[in-house]
PDB file of all heavy atoms in Angstrom:
ATOM      1  N   LEU A   8      -5.982  13.511  -7.570  1.00 98.00           N
ATOM      2  CA  LEU A   8      -6.438  14.068  -8.839  1.00 98.00           C
ATOM      3  C   LEU A   8      -7.807  14.684  -8.621  1.00 98.00           C
ATOM      4  O   LEU A   8      -8.702  14.051  -8.051  1.00 98.00           O
ATOM      5  CB  LEU A   8      -6.533  12.971  -9.909  1.00 98.00           C
ATOM      6  CG  LEU A   8      -7.080  13.391 -11.282  1.00 98.00           C
ATOM      7  CD1 LEU A   8      -6.127  14.381 -11.960  1.00 98.00           C
ATOM      8  CD2 LEU A   8      -7.304  12.176 -12.167  1.00 98.00           C
ATOM      9  N   PRO A  10     -10.761  16.533 -10.820  1.00 97.00           N
ATOM     10  CA  PRO A  10     -11.358  17.054 -12.049  1.00 97.00           C
ATOM     11  C   PRO A  10     -12.227  18.276 -11.736  1.00 97.00           C
ATOM     12  O   PRO A  10     -12.978  18.278 -10.758  1.00 97.00           O
ATOM     13  CB  PRO A  10     -12.223  15.889 -12.546  1.00 97.00           C
ATOM     14  CG  PRO A  10     -11.747  14.677 -11.792  1.00 97.00           C
ATOM     15  CD  PRO A  10     -11.285  15.204 -10.468  1.00 97.00           C
ATOM     16  N   VAL A  67      -7.490  18.771 -13.234  1.00 97.00           N
ATOM     17  CA  VAL A  67      -7.673  18.564 -14.667  1.00 97.00           C
ATOM     18  C   VAL A  67      -9.050  19.058 -15.077  1.00 97.00           C
ATOM     19  O   VAL A  67     -10.030  18.889 -14.346  1.00 97.00           O
ATOM     20  CB  VAL A  67      -7.491  17.085 -15.053  1.00 97.00           C
ATOM     21  CG1 VAL A  67      -8.455  16.197 -14.275  1.00 97.00           C
ATOM     22  CG2 VAL A  67      -7.701  16.880 -16.554  1.00 97.00           C
ATOM     23  N   ILE A  69     -11.723  19.268 -18.605  1.00 95.00           N
ATOM     24  CA  ILE A  69     -12.005  18.835 -19.974  1.00 95.00           C
ATOM     25  C   ILE A  69     -12.998  19.833 -20.552  1.00 95.00           C
ATOM     26  O   ILE A  69     -14.140  19.916 -20.097  1.00 95.00           O
ATOM     27  CB  ILE A  69     -12.594  17.415 -19.989  1.00 95.00           C
ATOM     28  CG1 ILE A  69     -11.645  16.442 -19.281  1.00 95.00           C
ATOM     29  CG2 ILE A  69     -12.890  16.960 -21.409  1.00 95.00           C
ATOM     30  CD1 ILE A  69     -12.262  15.087 -19.005  1.00 95.00           C
ATOM     31  N   ALA A 103     -17.406   9.245 -22.004  1.00 90.00           N
ATOM     32  CA  ALA A 103     -16.233   9.819 -22.672  1.00 90.00           C
ATOM     33  C   ALA A 103     -15.371  10.588 -21.676  1.00 90.00           C
ATOM     34  O   ALA A 103     -14.135  10.491 -21.695  1.00 90.00           O
ATOM     35  CB  ALA A 103     -16.668  10.728 -23.818  1.00 90.00           C
ATOM     36  N   VAL A 104     -16.012  11.337 -20.791  1.00 93.00           N
ATOM     37  CA  VAL A 104     -15.280  12.069 -19.745  1.00 93.00           C
ATOM     38  C   VAL A 104     -14.520  11.099 -18.852  1.00 93.00           C
ATOM     39  O   VAL A 104     -13.348  11.309 -18.518  1.00 93.00           O
ATOM     40  CB  VAL A 104     -16.245  12.927 -18.904  1.00 93.00           C
ATOM     41  CG1 VAL A 104     -15.517  13.541 -17.708  1.00 93.00           C
ATOM     42  CG2 VAL A 104     -16.865  14.024 -19.760  1.00 93.00           C
ATOM     43  N   SER A 105     -15.182  10.002 -18.479  1.00 94.00           N
ATOM     44  CA  SER A 105     -14.558   9.000 -17.610  1.00 94.00           C
ATOM     45  C   SER A 105     -13.330   8.380 -18.269  1.00 94.00           C
ATOM     46  O   SER A 105     -12.301   8.144 -17.617  1.00 94.00           O
ATOM     47  CB  SER A 105     -15.565   7.906 -17.256  1.00 94.00           C
ATOM     48  OG  SER A 105     -16.683   8.446 -16.595  1.00 94.00           O
ATOM     49  N   LYS A 106     -13.420   8.112 -19.574  1.00 93.00           N
ATOM     50  CA  LYS A 106     -12.294   7.509 -20.292  1.00 93.00           C
ATOM     51  C   LYS A 106     -11.100   8.461 -20.345  1.00 93.00           C
ATOM     52  O   LYS A 106      -9.947   8.034 -20.221  1.00 93.00           O
ATOM     53  CB  LYS A 106     -12.723   7.108 -21.695  1.00 93.00           C
ATOM     54  CG  LYS A 106     -13.660   5.902 -21.725  1.00 93.00           C
ATOM     55  CD  LYS A 106     -14.054   5.534 -23.140  1.00 93.00           C
ATOM     56  CE  LYS A 106     -14.920   4.273 -23.165  1.00 93.00           C
ATOM     57  NZ  LYS A 106     -15.334   3.903 -24.547  1.00 93.00           N
ATOM     58  N   ILE A 107     -11.392   9.754 -20.523  1.00 94.00           N
ATOM     59  CA  ILE A 107     -10.307  10.745 -20.517  1.00 94.00           C
ATOM     60  C   ILE A 107      -9.668  10.829 -19.135  1.00 94.00           C
ATOM     61  O   ILE A 107      -8.433  10.842 -19.000  1.00 94.00           O
ATOM     62  CB  ILE A 107     -10.834  12.123 -20.955  1.00 94.00           C
ATOM     63  CG1 ILE A 107     -11.220  12.093 -22.436  1.00 94.00           C
ATOM     64  CG2 ILE A 107      -9.781  13.205 -20.708  1.00 94.00           C
ATOM     65  CD1 ILE A 107     -11.852  13.380 -22.932  1.00 94.00           C
ATOM     66  N   LEU A 108     -10.496  10.858 -18.104  1.00 96.00           N
ATOM     67  CA  LEU A 108      -9.966  10.948 -16.736  1.00 96.00           C
ATOM     68  C   LEU A 108      -9.132   9.717 -16.382  1.00 96.00           C
ATOM     69  O   LEU A 108      -8.153   9.814 -15.632  1.00 96.00           O
ATOM     70  CB  LEU A 108     -11.113  11.122 -15.736  1.00 96.00           C
ATOM     71  CG  LEU A 108     -11.856  12.458 -15.809  1.00 96.00           C
ATOM     72  CD1 LEU A 108     -12.998  12.484 -14.797  1.00 96.00           C
ATOM     73  CD2 LEU A 108     -10.909  13.632 -15.566  1.00 96.00           C
ATOM     74  N   LYS A 109      -9.508   8.574 -16.901  1.00 96.00           N
ATOM     75  CA  LYS A 109      -8.720   7.354 -16.666  1.00 96.00           C
ATOM     76  C   LYS A 109      -7.315   7.519 -17.238  1.00 96.00           C
ATOM     77  O   LYS A 109      -6.321   7.133 -16.598  1.00 96.00           O
ATOM     78  CB  LYS A 109      -9.415   6.144 -17.305  1.00 96.00           C
ATOM     79  CG  LYS A 109      -8.687   4.808 -17.110  1.00 96.00           C
ATOM     80  CD  LYS A 109      -9.507   3.673 -17.691  1.00 96.00           C
ATOM     81  CE  LYS A 109      -8.846   2.318 -17.448  1.00 96.00           C
ATOM     82  NZ  LYS A 109      -7.595   2.150 -18.213  1.00 96.00           N
ATOM     83  N   LYS A 110      -7.224   8.101 -18.436  1.00 95.00           N
ATOM     84  CA  LYS A 110      -5.915   8.336 -19.044  1.00 95.00           C
ATOM     85  C   LYS A 110      -5.078   9.319 -18.214  1.00 95.00           C
ATOM     86  O   LYS A 110      -3.874   9.129 -18.030  1.00 95.00           O
ATOM     87  CB  LYS A 110      -6.096   8.894 -20.463  1.00 95.00           C
ATOM     88  CG  LYS A 110      -6.639   7.897 -21.468  1.00 95.00           C
ATOM     89  CD  LYS A 110      -5.602   6.850 -21.845  1.00 95.00           C
ATOM     90  CE  LYS A 110      -6.102   5.970 -22.974  1.00 95.00           C
ATOM     91  NZ  LYS A 110      -5.093   4.956 -23.383  1.00 95.00           N
ATOM     92  N   ILE A 111      -5.727  10.363 -17.714  1.00 96.00           N
ATOM     93  CA  ILE A 111      -5.019  11.354 -16.895  1.00 96.00           C
ATOM     94  C   ILE A 111      -4.555  10.715 -15.593  1.00 96.00           C
ATOM     95  O   ILE A 111      -3.436  10.964 -15.121  1.00 96.00           O
ATOM     96  CB  ILE A 111      -5.920  12.571 -16.611  1.00 96.00           C
ATOM     97  CG1 ILE A 111      -6.337  13.264 -17.918  1.00 96.00           C
ATOM     98  CG2 ILE A 111      -5.207  13.559 -15.684  1.00 96.00           C
ATOM     99  CD1 ILE A 111      -5.185  13.815 -18.716  1.00 96.00           C
ATOM    100  N   GLN A 112      -5.394   9.876 -14.992  1.00 96.00           N
ATOM    101  CA  GLN A 112      -5.012   9.179 -13.762  1.00 96.00           C
ATOM    102  C   GLN A 112      -3.775   8.317 -13.989  1.00 96.00           C
ATOM    103  O   GLN A 112      -2.852   8.309 -13.154  1.00 96.00           O
ATOM    104  CB  GLN A 112      -6.181   8.320 -13.268  1.00 96.00           C
ATOM    105  CG  GLN A 112      -5.893   7.544 -11.988  1.00 96.00           C
ATOM    106  CD  GLN A 112      -5.142   6.241 -12.204  1.00 96.00           C
ATOM    107  OE1 GLN A 112      -5.370   5.548 -13.201  1.00 96.00           O
ATOM    108  NE2 GLN A 112      -4.230   5.918 -11.300  1.00 96.00           N
ATOM    109  N   GLU A 113      -3.767   7.603 -15.094  1.00 95.00           N
ATOM    110  CA  GLU A 113      -2.626   6.737 -15.397  1.00 95.00           C
ATOM    111  C   GLU A 113      -1.356   7.561 -15.600  1.00 95.00           C
ATOM    112  O   GLU A 113      -0.272   7.169 -15.165  1.00 95.00           O
ATOM    113  CB  GLU A 113      -2.930   5.896 -16.638  1.00 95.00           C
ATOM    114  CG  GLU A 113      -4.036   4.870 -16.414  1.00 95.00           C
ATOM    115  CD  GLU A 113      -4.512   4.234 -17.712  1.00 95.00           C
ATOM    116  OE1 GLU A 113      -4.129   4.732 -18.803  1.00 95.00           O
ATOM    117  OE2 GLU A 113      -5.280   3.254 -17.646  1.00 95.00           O
ATOM    118  N   ILE A 120      -8.908  10.083  -6.144  1.00 98.00           N
ATOM    119  CA  ILE A 120      -9.591  11.043  -7.011  1.00 98.00           C
ATOM    120  C   ILE A 120     -10.756  11.635  -6.240  1.00 98.00           C
ATOM    121  O   ILE A 120     -11.616  10.901  -5.740  1.00 98.00           O
ATOM    122  CB  ILE A 120     -10.106  10.380  -8.310  1.00 98.00           C
ATOM    123  CG1 ILE A 120      -8.928   9.807  -9.108  1.00 98.00           C
ATOM    124  CG2 ILE A 120     -10.875  11.388  -9.165  1.00 98.00           C
ATOM    125  CD1 ILE A 120      -9.339   9.046 -10.358  1.00 98.00           C
ATOM    126  N   MET A 122     -13.833  14.312  -6.651  1.00 95.00           N
ATOM    127  CA  MET A 122     -14.542  15.031  -7.708  1.00 95.00           C
ATOM    128  C   MET A 122     -15.963  15.352  -7.277  1.00 95.00           C
ATOM    129  O   MET A 122     -16.508  14.714  -6.372  1.00 95.00           O
ATOM    130  CB  MET A 122     -14.566  14.199  -8.991  1.00 95.00           C
ATOM    131  CG  MET A 122     -15.191  12.836  -8.840  1.00 95.00           C
ATOM    132  SD  MET A 122     -14.821  11.714 -10.225  1.00 95.00           S
ATOM    133  CE  MET A 122     -15.473  12.639 -11.602  1.00 95.00           C
ATOM    134  N   THR A 134     -20.285  10.397 -13.749  1.00 94.00           N
ATOM    135  CA  THR A 134     -18.874  10.266 -14.105  1.00 94.00           C
ATOM    136  C   THR A 134     -18.055   9.571 -13.024  1.00 94.00           C
ATOM    137  O   THR A 134     -17.231   8.699 -13.333  1.00 94.00           O
ATOM    138  CB  THR A 134     -18.267  11.646 -14.413  1.00 94.00           C
ATOM    139  OG1 THR A 134     -19.037  12.285 -15.436  1.00 94.00           O
ATOM    140  CG2 THR A 134     -16.833  11.516 -14.879  1.00 94.00           C
ATOM    141  N   LEU A 138     -16.110   6.132 -13.782  1.00 97.00           N
ATOM    142  CA  LEU A 138     -14.657   6.124 -13.670  1.00 97.00           C
ATOM    143  C   LEU A 138     -14.196   5.036 -12.702  1.00 97.00           C
ATOM    144  O   LEU A 138     -13.203   4.336 -12.964  1.00 97.00           O
ATOM    145  CB  LEU A 138     -14.158   7.497 -13.217  1.00 97.00           C
ATOM    146  CG  LEU A 138     -12.639   7.662 -13.061  1.00 97.00           C
ATOM    147  CD1 LEU A 138     -11.919   7.316 -14.366  1.00 97.00           C
ATOM    148  CD2 LEU A 138     -12.307   9.087 -12.626  1.00 97.00           C
ATOM    149  N   LEU A 142     -11.690   1.954 -13.749  1.00 97.00           N
ATOM    150  CA  LEU A 142     -10.423   1.755 -13.037  1.00 97.00           C
ATOM    151  C   LEU A 142     -10.439   0.506 -12.161  1.00 97.00           C
ATOM    152  O   LEU A 142      -9.379   0.007 -11.769  1.00 97.00           O
ATOM    153  CB  LEU A 142     -10.116   2.983 -12.165  1.00 97.00           C
ATOM    154  CG  LEU A 142      -9.739   4.271 -12.898  1.00 97.00           C
ATOM    155  CD1 LEU A 142      -9.698   5.448 -11.931  1.00 97.00           C
ATOM    156  CD2 LEU A 142      -8.396   4.115 -13.613  1.00 97.00           C
TER     157      LEU A 142
END
Side-chain angles (χ1 to χ4, degrees):
L8 176 65
V67 57
I69 304 168
V104 173
S105 301
K106 289 180 176 179
I107 292 176
L108 292 178
K109 181 176 183 292
K110 290 288 187 179
I111 299 298
Q112 180 278 324
E113 292 169 349
I120 299 176
M122 57 195 302
T134 305
L138 181 56
L142 290 170

